[in-house]
Amino acid sequence: MSSRDDNLPPPTIPPETPPEPHHGGVMARFRNYFLTGLVVAGPIAITFYLTWWFVTWVDGLVRPFVPIAYRPETYLPFGLPGSGLIVAVIALTLLGFLTANLIGRTLVDLGEKILGRIPAVRAIYRGLKQVFETLFSGNGSSFRRVGLVEFPSPGMWSIVLISQSPNPEVARRLPGQEEHISVFLPCAPNPTTGFFFYVPKNKIIEVEMSAEDAATLIMSAGVVQPGSDPQKKIAALAGMANAARAANGTPPLQPAPAKVE
């Protein structure tokens, strides 16, 4: 017994959909979400904490010098954070304005002469004054250039912040005829501590990197590479892999030719 349906092809059964890959279940997702939240909230929380600490620290220093009648908490039921910082900024600006005229310079010179007669205070004041003048001067170039120095042993390179040339007395005492320059080598993860030394100028490899990027690189111990290109990273890793294969006597890897359809 035949019918028209017998001549039809058998129905096509669709292939089974492969199951979605299992990524460790609920705990793995919880861990990924937690790390993502930590990456987002961590820098923000630390930034707010350091800002709050600085503001409250300045308030604590300035508040004793402000009369009670001029304090915001005298008229408000709560304290006003940042009021001491505003007073400090206004006071420093006014001090700079008064120092710029003849009377202010005369008073500053008189104060420096008095401090210069105190043996223990004289060295501290002069050193701090030179540091502040160098760091906060508009035309200063200290610590704005970054370089590489072969330290602590041959074949090992460290990031340094390039400072000024030594004074004539120190330059005459340094061995050799090369021109020397002073550098500061920050330590990880705290770049405010490190080593200061003189190094021949021709031994420094200056790199195109800002001091802020260098500090980020040092604080992260090389984990965060400022301004790095992903393609350059891949090329560098491929070069290292080929160098390792060549050292082991294995032919280097070649990129697969592109398929032309």
Side-chain angles (χ1 to χ4, degrees):
M1 181 177 177
S2 62
S3 63
R4 188 172 57 184
D5 296 338
D6 296 338
N7 297 326
L8 296 176
T12 303
I13 302 176
E16 295 183 359
T17 303
E20 296 183 358
H22 187 66
H23 295 289
V26 178
M27 293 304 298
R29 293 184 179 180
F30 176 81
R31 174 179 175 275
N32 292 336
Y33 293 156
F34 173 78
L35 294 178
T36 303
L38 183 63
V39 170
V40 173
I44 298 177
I46 295 175
T47 302
F48 274 101
Y49 172 78
L50 293 178
T51 304
W52 179 264
W53 171 83
F54 178 75
V55 171
T56 54
W57 177 69
V58 175
D59 287 348
L61 291 178
V62 177
R63 186 177 291 109
F65 300 96
V66 179
I68 299 178
Y70 296 98
R71 297 181 185 179
E73 57 267 20
T74 304
Y75 308 97
L76 298 176
F78 54 87
L80 188 61
S83 59
L85 181 61
I86 296 175
V87 173
V89 172
I90 296 175
L92 291 175
T93 305
L94 182 61
L95 178 62
F97 171 75
L98 295 177
T99 308
N101 56 44
L102 179 60
I103 299 177
R105 289 197 298 268
T106 303
L107 294 177
V108 171
D109 293 339
L110 178 61
E112 289 184 348
K113 289 180 180 179
I114 295 175
L115 293 176
R117 296 179 180 276
I118 306 176
V121 179
R122 177 175 54 195
I124 299 176
Y125 172 74
R126 289 181 178 177
L128 290 177
K129 183 181 178 182
Q130 292 178 0
V131 170
F132 273 76
E133 287 179 348
T134 303
L135 292 179
F136 295 101
S137 61
N139 55 0
S141 59
S142 296
F143 298 154
R144 297 185 181 180
R145 294 182 297 161
V146 182
L148 293 174
V149 173
E150 199 169 14
F151 180 87
S153 62
M156 302 177 65
W157 295 86
S158 300
I159 292 180
V160 295
L161 302 178
I162 301 175
S163 185
Q164 301 288 345
S165 301
N167 57 40
E169 179 62 25
V170 176
R172 286 195 299 267
R173 298 290 182 177
L174 292 173
Q177 301 298 326
E178 302 90 351
E179 180 183 359
H180 287 72
I181 194 167
S182 55
V183 297
F184 175 70
L185 193 155
C187 291
N190 182 11
T192 59
T193 62
F195 302 93
F196 169 79
F197 50 87
Y198 296 104
V199 63
K201 194 172 183 179
N202 57 2
K203 299 295 184 181
I204 302 176
I205 301 177
E206 191 168 349
V207 296
E208 293 294 333
M209 181 186 297
S210 64
E212 292 79 8
D213 291 342
T216 302
L217 180 63
I218 294 170
M219 284 189 295
S220 64
V223 176
V224 179
Q225 299 287 334
S228 58
D229 188 0
Q231 296 298 329
K232 293 182 179 180
K233 287 184 178 181
I234 296 175
L237 292 175
M240 293 175 60
N242 284 334
R245 292 176 65 88
N248 295 330
T250 308
L253 298 174
Q254 299 294 334
K259 295 182 179 179
V260 179
E261 297 182 355

